Amino acid sequence: MINAEIITIGDELLIGQVVDTNSAWMAEKLNEYGIGLYQITSVHDDRAHIIAALDEAFGRADIVLTTGGLGPTKDDITKNVLCEYFGTHLIEDARVRAHIAELYKDRPDILNKLTSTQWMVPECAKILENRVGSAPLMVFHKGKQMLASMPGVPYEMKIAMEEQILPYLESQIKDNKSKIIHKTLQVTGIAESTLAILLEDYERSMPQGLHLAYLPKDGIIRLRLSSYGELSETEIQHWFDELKRITVEYMIADTDEPLEVLIGHILTERGKTIATAESCTGGKLAALLNKHSGSSVFYKGSVVAYSNEVKENVLKVHRESLERYGAVSEQVVTQMACGAKKILNTDYAIATSGVAGPTGGTLEKPVGTVWIAWATPDNVYSECFHLGKLREQITDRACTKALVQILRILRNEK
Amino acid sequence: MINAEIITIGDELLIGQVVDTNSAWMAEKLNEYGIGLYQITSVHDDRAHIIAALDEAFGRADIVLTTGGLGPTKDDITKNVLCEYFGTHLIEDARVRAHIAELYKDRPDILNKLTSTQWMVPECAKILENRVGSAPLMVFHKGKQMLASMPGVPYEMKIAMEEQILPYLESQIKDNKSKIIHKTLQVTGIAESTLAILLEDYERSMPQGLHLAYLPKDGIIRLRLSSYGELSETEIQHWFDELKRITVEYMIADTDEPLEVLIGHILTERGKTIATAESCTGGKLAALLNKHSGSSVFYKGSVVAYSNEVKENVLKVHRESLERYGAVSEQVVTQMACGAKKILNTDYAIATSGVAGPTGGTLEKPVGTVWIAWATPDNVYSECFHLGKLREQITDRACTKALVQILRILRNEK
């Protein structure tokens, strides 16, 4: 199998100012191209540190990908360090120059002396076009090994990888026949250790080259089977089917697709719509449900109702219920769901109301108490959960609970 | 300066199934304790790979922190590899055993034979309590160097670091006097290269040991001054004040706090409230505004109004305006803001309506066109933006534009 490594370059990653979301995205894409990712290394904007990381990565991998350090400002040194590393120097590239002139034709302020350093490129590098930015994409060959350098800004990196770097790498590694396959199913309602005991015989009989991983998060465990070229697709499918058979009682999905996508598929297919009314999750459910393109077909909107006033005036929750049972109660959350369904005129609605903390907990309703209601065309269901102690954990888990249940309801209705 | 490295262990990180959000959080905490972070390395759940990474990290750093690989299932091997690395073996720990029994006293299904492996700990390790999970926290001493191993689940890792690992490390490195200082200000409305030219003289005259970094994202550039123990706080403050003076025209904040926090401070202080009406940002603004504890004081809620029906029925946008000007128009977005302010009964409201793509663009209103309106107690403002081509980029930038402008409005009103 062809192996790659990623080196992410930037002080901001090592002082905690920026989360590296790039590497996970790049890893997935590399796997799709049959390229394994062996290691990710984050280093400072520092000459010696970058060179040491390059040496180590080239000692292990066929392909090295670097992100970051390509801006026009002084703190960005990647291009010069790569020149030194590959024993080359900078020359002007007329194509890059023309591209930058075109890119900023309405922004003369940007066409300054610093931006002009961007069309200076290493003489020995293959230059690929960065359609959306000024930093040129660079590929260096080192014997049979390659290095591709791209910007760290996620939008630019993604376009660079998809349109330029991955196709170029593929064209250079023609004999790569290994196929990396991951198959994931999602289960809920079972502890990780209990699940592992259930799968003991299965794991014992698994063939060489097949790997099983457990990924618990927010009440869902993703079970992933991976093969790095050793097994055929038929064999992997056989083992995956067996895994599904054993876990069927707990399984909510036999793909790695997010719950909101699975829900979206069903609703779209049936021409049905959904709305949300959120108190403690405060927009998180809405942001999930409309995250993916095409969501406007099934997702009509949300009322984020933090205050009782909004619950009453917009969602038409009875004042009496609020006063008598409190906002975090079966009565209120049920009315919120029905109110959202009605005013947003949808077939389904989900409502959440809970104590996300850190303040606001009582003896009777401690932090972590969350009521969720699901309104369907003919019915309304509700349930109370205790979802932990930390604000973020509670709201994340509440979203998962809300989505798991509506997915079950939709499936039962088919 | 004391230096640390992080090794994150888990195949899921290297196939793109999980984004490593832990390292950034850990980096920030380490810096607060005066500990620098030299490198982050992500490795597979593989014995040889983990050992190689440990050797390399111990060749550079005083402290090595590892996350992940501590679950009770077969794919998690970190504890056994650490035993091998430090030449020790597993023994039963009565305190951990009692803790796990207490933790799962209502969940007898979890107290199974796999969970029982969790109270086996390396003999030579210092064991710290994992208050919220079953995997014990382990610290190993290697001469003057240390290694701390903790779970990869973010909630567990955070509690482990804050309550146990950082205080323990601090108690062991008593002579650490270096102070790491980062000071960040945020500017907008100027290109990165233009800003760098504006700061040329400043950068040239900066003393040794002071570092300036540029971090552009979604239309904001964060300018960060960093010192790793070489300069006094007074000196750094002097240079930071000078930076503020030069960039005053573009500066929107002289801290690294997110815009929604700054807005929250002002509103809370003045006893004012805000609401949102979101079309293209679809809940992202709501999720931002209620992300932080204390937000319920100033943030009343949101109407996520994807469909025209909701805009009309809930936000009271005139049907005529929708038909005549379309949903993405000054008329509609203005009415959305006023409608939200009215029905949610707040002092301020922000509304967004745009074409987030990938479909839905026209010649007149291409993908990326976003109208934003801001309603204040006495007025309503609106502006049209063109925010790029990618769905995520467009909605992220729209949120930034919406928040920058309301922050300016609030400041002008003081």
Side-chain angles (χ1 to χ4, degrees), chain A residues 36-56:
Chain A
L37 177 61
Y38 188 70
Q39 184 167 312
I40 304 164
T41 309
S42 299
V43 301
H44 284 278
D45 293 301
D46 174 88
R47 180 190 156 277
H49 198 175
I50 295 170
I51 288 175
L54 291 171
D55 272 337
E56 286 173 9

Side-chain angles (χ1 to χ4, degrees), chain A residues 170-225:
Chain A
E170 193 177 40
S171 74
Q172 300 295 305
I173 45 171
K174 291 183 193 87
D175 54 343
N176 183 29
K177 285 196 189 70
S178 52
K179 205 156 185 179
I180 298 172
I181 298 175
H182 304 293
K183 284 189 168 283
T184 298
L185 60 84
Q186 304 179 55
V187 301
T188 189
I190 183 169
E192 189 184 5
S193 57
T194 316
L195 180 64
I197 289 171
L198 182 68
L199 290 169
E200 255 179 354
D201 288 342
Y202 177 87
E203 286 202 64
R204 212 174 287 127
S205 57
M206 265 168 46
Q208 197 77 23
L210 192 65
H211 309 271
L212 179 67
Y214 296 73
L215 290 173
K217 189 174 179 239
D218 297 331
I220 286 183
I221 302 172
R222 288 188 280 175
L223 274 175
R224 189 192 69 235
L225 274 187

Side-chain angles (χ1 to χ4, degrees), chain B residues 251-318:
Chain B
M251 192 175 74
I252 46 161
D254 61 357
T255 69
D256 201 15
E257 287 174 297
L259 298 176
E260 66 272 15
V261 171
L262 299 169
I263 292 163
H265 288 333
I266 299 177
L267 291 169
T268 306
E269 199 175 282
R270 298 185 193 165
K272 302 290 184 188
T273 57
I274 194 165
T276 48
E278 305 182 58
S279 185
C280 67
T281 53
K284 264 193 186 175
L285 261 183
L288 280 174
L289 282 164
N290 93 88
K291 191 174 176 185
H292 309 276
S293 174
S295 56
S296 58
V297 174
F298 66 87
Y299 184 56
K300 281 224 192 160
S302 180
V303 175
V304 180
Y306 246 44
S307 71
N308 282 350
E309 201 182 335
V310 178
K311 292 186 184 84
E312 200 183 323
N313 295 349
V314 183
L315 292 170
K316 311 301 176 197
V317 172
H318 303 314

Side-chain angles (χ1 to χ4, degrees), chain B residues 28 88 96 151 180 191 195 222 224 251 287 329 376 393 407 413:
Chain B
E28 205 178 335
T88 188
V96 175
I180 299 172
L195 181 64
R222 288 188 280 176
R224 189 192 69 236
M251 192 175 74
S329 65
T376 70
Q393 182 186 40
L407 187 57
E413 284 177 352

Side-chain angles (χ1 to χ4, degrees), chain A residues 282 290 300 302 304 309 345, chain B residues 224 282 290 300 302 304 309 345:
Chain A
N290 94 88
K300 279 225 193 159
S302 180
V304 180
E309 200 182 335
N345 192 21
Chain B
R224 189 192 69 236
N290 93 88
K300 281 224 192 160
S302 180
V304 180
E309 201 182 335
N345 192 22

